Amino acid sequence: MGGTNDAWMEAARRDYSPRKLEKWVAMAGAACTVFGREGYARASVDALAAEAGVSTRTLYNHFPGGKAQLFRTVVTWTSGEVKDAQIARLHAVLAPGRPPRPEDLERDLVALARSFVGLMDDYPNHFALVRHIHAEADHVPPEVLQAWRDAGPGPAGEALAEAFAGLAEAGLLDLRGDAPLAAAHFMALISHTLTQRSHYGVLPVPQEETERLVVGGVAVFVRAYRTP
C-alpha cells in the first residue's frame, strides 16, 4: 500500500504472529488494489480473496466483518499515511512558530499548494479509494465514512487551520475568526478543479495547467485573506 501506518501495524503485531501478520498485510494490500479498481459496491469477497491469493475462509478468519471491515482497514490505513505526509509537508513550509516574511507569504503558500497537490501522484492507491468513496457514498457504511474522515481529512484539516491561525497571529492573514473555514477555502481553491478534471489522479493534467490552477488558486486565497 505504499508504506505503513504505525498505528495499524502496531495493532496487527499485537494480534498476529509474524506469519499471520504477513498474510494480514498481503490481504490488506490486495484489498486496496481491488477496491481502487472496482470500488466498494462492485468488489466481491471472492475477488478480494483471489487478489490476495487466499481462500475466502482465510479472509474471513482475519477480517470477520468481510468486505466492510477490509474497506475500513485500507481506507483508514492509507488515510493515515496521506495525513502524515500532508502534515509533514505543511510543517516543512510553514514551520510552527516561524511565520514567513510578509513579502514571502504568497510564494510559500504556492509551495505548500504544490506539495499538497503532489500527494495525488505520490499516493495513487489512496486517491483511487477516495474517488470511489465520493462516487459511492450511499453504498459505503456510514461508520466507514466516519473512520475515513477521522483518520485523514479531519486531522489534516485541523493541522492546516492551526497553521493558518498562526499566520493570523503573526498579522499575515485576516481569518475573520474562522481558521477552519479558511483552511477549507484554501484546499478547495488549489485542488477542487484538479481532482475533478483528473478524477483524483486517474487522468493526468498537464504540468503547465496544474501550475496555472495552483498559482491562481493561491492568488485568490491571498486576495481574500491577506491582512490589509
Side-chain angles (χ1 to χ4, degrees):
M1 282 187 284
T4 59
N5 178 272
D6 290 343
W8 276 105
M9 288 303 296
E10 184 58 34
R13 289 190 184 100
R14 287 197 305 268
D15 295 337
Y16 294 120
S17 66
R19 185 167 176 269
K20 287 186 176 181
L21 176 61
E22 185 178 351
K23 279 192 174 182
W24 186 92
V25 171
M27 284 184 281
C32 190
T33 299
V34 173
F35 285 130
R37 182 178 67 233
E38 303 291 339
Y40 180 77
R42 291 177 57 192
S44 68
V45 171
D46 287 343
L48 292 164
E51 184 75 25
V54 301
S55 67
T56 55
R57 180 177 178 179
T58 297
L59 187 146
Y60 277 113
N61 283 341
H62 288 268
F63 299 93
K67 183 167 77 169
Q69 185 180 357
L70 258 175
F71 193 68
R72 177 173 179 159
T73 296
V74 298
V75 165
T76 306
W77 189 341
T78 62
S79 292
E81 290 184 317
V82 174
K83 177 262 297 180
D84 290 345
Q86 185 171 344
I87 292 176
R89 295 178 187 199
L90 168 64
H91 290 165
V93 177
L94 299 178
R98 288 190 301 165
R101 297 179 302 173
E103 60 269 28
D104 295 334
L105 175 64
E106 187 164 353
R107 181 204 66 184
D108 287 358
L109 290 179
V110 167
L112 180 64
R114 289 190 187 114
S115 69
F116 280 1
V117 166
L119 290 167
M120 280 197 296
D121 292 331
D122 296 338
Y123 296 89
N125 288 345
H126 170 72
F127 285 97
L129 294 175
V130 173
R131 176 168 59 90
H132 287 297
I133 286 173
H134 287 299
E136 304 179 66
D138 55 337
H139 297 294
V140 178
E143 63 273 15
V144 175
L145 293 175
Q146 189 60 51
W148 163 61
R149 296 188 191 100
D150 291 344
E158 290 169 6
L160 182 59
E162 183 178 348
F164 282 174
L167 296 181
E169 290 175 6
L172 298 175
L173 295 179
D174 177 8
L175 305 181
R176 301 160 185 84
D178 198 338
L181 181 60
H185 284 163
F186 180 80
M187 294 304 300
L189 286 166
I190 68 168
S191 64
H192 178 75
T193 300
L194 280 172
T195 56
Q196 296 300 304
R197 191 174 297 181
S198 70
H199 298 280
Y200 289 91
V202 174
L203 303 176
V205 175
Q207 183 59 42
E208 60 272 18
E209 180 65 5
T210 297
E211 182 72 3
R212 185 181 74 85
L213 292 170
V214 166
V215 172
V218 171
V220 172
F221 178 84
V222 170
R223 276 200 296 274
Y225 283 103
R226 188 197 290 271
T227 300

